[in-house]
Amino acid sequence: MQKSNKIWSKCLAGLSLVLCAILGFGTVSNAAESYSYDIWGNVVAAPAAYELEQTIYGSDLGVGNMAAATDIFYRNGKVYLILSGTIVIADEEFENISYITEYVKEDGSKASVNAPTGIYVTEDEHIYICEQAQGEIVEFDENGECVRVIGDPNCIGLTTTYAPRRLVVDSVGRIYVLVQNCYEGFVELNPEGEFNRYVGATEVTYSMADLFWRNLQTEEQRARSALWLPTTYSDLAIDDEGFIFASVSGATTDEPVRKLNSSGDNVMPEHDFINVPMGDYENKSSLSNLGRIALADDGRFAVMDTTYSRIFVYSPDGYLMYELAGTGNAEGLLNSPSAFCFMNDKILVVDIVYQSLEIFAPTTYGSLINSALNAQSDYDYETAAGYWQQVLDINSNFYYANLGLGKYQMRTGEYEAAKDNFYIGADRSYYSNAYAQVSGEWMDRNFGKIIALIVVLIVLIIAWKIYRKYHPAQEKDTKLARFWKKTKFTLFKWPGYVLSSPFKAFDDVKYYDDGSLVFSVVVIILFGWISLIKYRYTGFMVSFVDIDNVNVPMIVGSAILPYVAFIVGNWAVGVLLSGKGKMVHITKVVGYSLYPACWLYLAGTILSNFVTEDEAALVSALFVFGMVLFFFYMFIGTIMVNQYTFTKNVATLLLSVVAMLIICFVAMLFATLLAQFVNDWMQIFREIFMVL
């Protein structure tokens, strides 16, 4: 007994160490280790794309401290940093530094830089800053001289005090302003600084539960409750083509990062399986609070998660490239980042707690990704393919590199390899194009053989019929012959009778007990396994699932149990409503009604592997048609075996659905109680062994 106690102690100690190791590893990974997401949304480890290169403190810039730094911008070899009372302008080495602390207005009066909250610098190096507290936008020329001060433009419909917080300027001089507590979108000012319109208003988001409870409220309660207001933007940036990239504060929206065109519509690219940019996410819901956004000259854009101090960098078409930083005190981590920007390939981050400017430089891995994106943006796919291959040599889980390789292989005629890469990268459109080329080439090579094979088959069939005409087969009364005859009747003749004459067939089920109960049960079970085959082997154009994480019992069970619950529920409702059908009859109805769906599911699964994107809808229609046939025959069958009218049968089926829900609830309750019972007894035995 003492030996047994020692064994248990060692096992518990080992388990504790394993749990500690797992928890400890999770903490480090969450804060310091670089990661990414695969096409299924799972977190996967990734090499670090950026590392801390240099830290710049306020003393290095001659400003004392940087606790009040609010924004940073880079343009034409110069870094622009704003903090309370000062605009700092430095070169890339942070050596030649100049300051703007005061300026002369157009009327000749002097003013000081107060507490700017946002900065933007145009191509001709005109500097715009937002003085939020004063409700002004101040423009400086390339020499730091004040050009103009833009006051309140009297925005139509603005119900709050005009307080410009961030801004960008397009190539023709239009100014887009993020106004504090403005729910109509961004304020667009014309080049003269006059109000033009609102752009990109966000929609109101609410849940079904919100709607339900609000409908139950009285008018007074609705008046006292919080208003349903759209979410507000947290930051904006603009590219050379005039598209506005904007981040939405909070994590309640499905589109926390948006690319707005001139009409204010979100044109951020969407992909079949890859989430739209949203920082960290789980089950396609963002976990991040994206407070800032920035653009690089090569088209990359990045967002900052102010909750976890991470920066997520995306390709121009919205794929996550890498993340960097994180919350912590170690080198390369951040505490309270307030602003960031790209400086060529480097990323500058202002941390107001560390009171520093953190400069991150790309690692070899990050440089390869950036170089590949640069080459790809210049349509130099051959050079990009070389970089993507090197990226895959370092990180085989980087699916975007497979897409880059596939695009190059498409142009060089390597369609089979391109198809495989597009499959890994989960891009249906490109995969369809590559597959069309592969199948077209195969058809060109084998068309003659296919025609010859068809002709030979036709000749053989005709010859066989002629032979049988003059040499009819003699029926033999053997066990094998009788078994084959019975099998043909069970598998084909009677199901065919059901499909062609459902009213008569199901009437025979009721009054003559025709049909096979065993066959019906086998069909229901077989349908569960066919559903598994469909889930696992349906082609990429129709369905794409993580085949490495297939829960076989869950898939088979979820396919079979609804029909079992329906049989029990419909029989129970029939007992209450004078239905004439027995459970055996209803089982036969369900089994024979599912029979065509089994064949259509198998046919669709096979065909789905040989279709392009345009043809995939036809295969999906086969799956839908299988269920339509099931409901059609099941409806007829329940009418005939229960001897209901049309209206009563509809009502009975609806009640059967309610009965199914009750059965599922009772089953789940029983399973929960059973699990709790087993867990309690295991706990009792565990405590007994610990005492002994």
Side-chain angles (χ1 to χ4, degrees), residues 238-317:
I238 192 168
D239 65 9
D240 295 336
E241 297 178 348
F243 290 101
I244 297 176
F245 288 74
S247 57
V248 180
S249 58
T252 58
T253 176
D254 294 333
E255 299 173 342
V257 182
R258 306 183 182 189
K259 181 180 180 181
L260 306 177
N261 61 14
S262 58
S263 300
D265 300 322
N266 183 20
V267 294
M268 180 67 71
E270 294 184 0
H271 311 285
D272 289 329
F273 304 99
I274 311 302
N275 277 14
V276 295
M278 58 174 59
D280 279 323
Y281 61 88
E282 186 176 10
N283 297 325
K284 296 188 176 183
S285 296
S286 177
L287 303 176
S288 300
N289 184 20
L290 305 180
R292 302 304 301 264
I293 190 168
L295 283 171
D297 293 335
D298 58 8
R300 286 174 297 151
F301 65 94
V303 290
M304 175 187 288
D305 179 358
T306 55
T307 300
Y308 299 104
S309 304
R310 293 193 184 100
I311 295 173
F312 299 87
V313 181
Y314 295 87
S315 66
D317 46 356

Side-chain angles (χ1 to χ4, degrees), residues 494-552:
W494 176 257
Y497 176 51
V498 173
L499 298 181
S500 59
S501 305
F503 288 96
K504 181 101 171 55
F506 287 126
D507 192 55
D508 292 344
V509 168
K510 168 63 181 171
Y511 289 104
Y512 303 107
D513 202 25
D514 284 350
S516 172
L517 176 63
V518 174
F519 176 77
S520 300
V521 173
V522 169
V523 168
I524 294 173
I525 297 174
L526 187 63
F527 180 77
W529 288 100
I530 290 176
S531 298
L532 175 63
I533 293 172
K534 172 180 174 289
Y535 181 88
R536 172 62 178 78
Y537 294 105
T538 298
F540 179 39
M541 287 293 97
V542 179
S543 176
F544 192 47
V545 296
D546 187 0
I547 60 177
D548 294 327
N549 294 292
V550 177
N551 189 331
V552 174

Side-chain angles (χ1 to χ4, degrees), residues 391-411:
V391 170
L392 284 175
D393 292 339
I394 299 174
N395 179 16
S396 60
N397 292 322
F398 192 69
Y399 61 85
Y400 191 79
N402 294 101
L403 294 179
L405 279 176
K407 292 175 183 178
Y408 170 69
Q409 291 162 344
M410 279 286 288
R411 284 162 175 78

Side-chain angles (χ1 to χ4, degrees), residues 120 169-174 238-242:
Y120 185 85
V169 183
D170 67 10
S171 58
V172 297
R174 286 185 295 246
I238 192 168
D239 65 9
D240 295 336
E241 297 178 348

Side-chain angles (χ1 to χ4, degrees), residues 200-266:
T202 60
E203 70 283 355
V204 177
T205 57
Y206 46 81
S207 65
M208 295 300 295
D210 294 332
L211 281 175
F212 175 77
W213 290 114
R214 192 170 181 86
N215 285 331
L216 297 180
Q217 290 178 339
T218 64
E219 292 296 332
E220 294 182 0
Q221 289 173 328
R222 291 179 186 177
R224 291 196 301 267
S225 63
L227 293 175
W228 283 354
L229 296 174
T231 53
T232 58
Y233 290 107
S234 57
D235 199 9
L236 75 165
I238 192 168
D239 65 9
D240 295 336
E241 297 178 348
F243 290 101
I244 297 176
F245 288 74
S247 57
V248 180
S249 58
T252 58
T253 176
D254 294 333
E255 299 173 342
V257 182
R258 306 183 182 189
K259 181 180 180 181
L260 306 177
N261 61 14
S262 58
S263 300
D265 300 322
N266 183 20

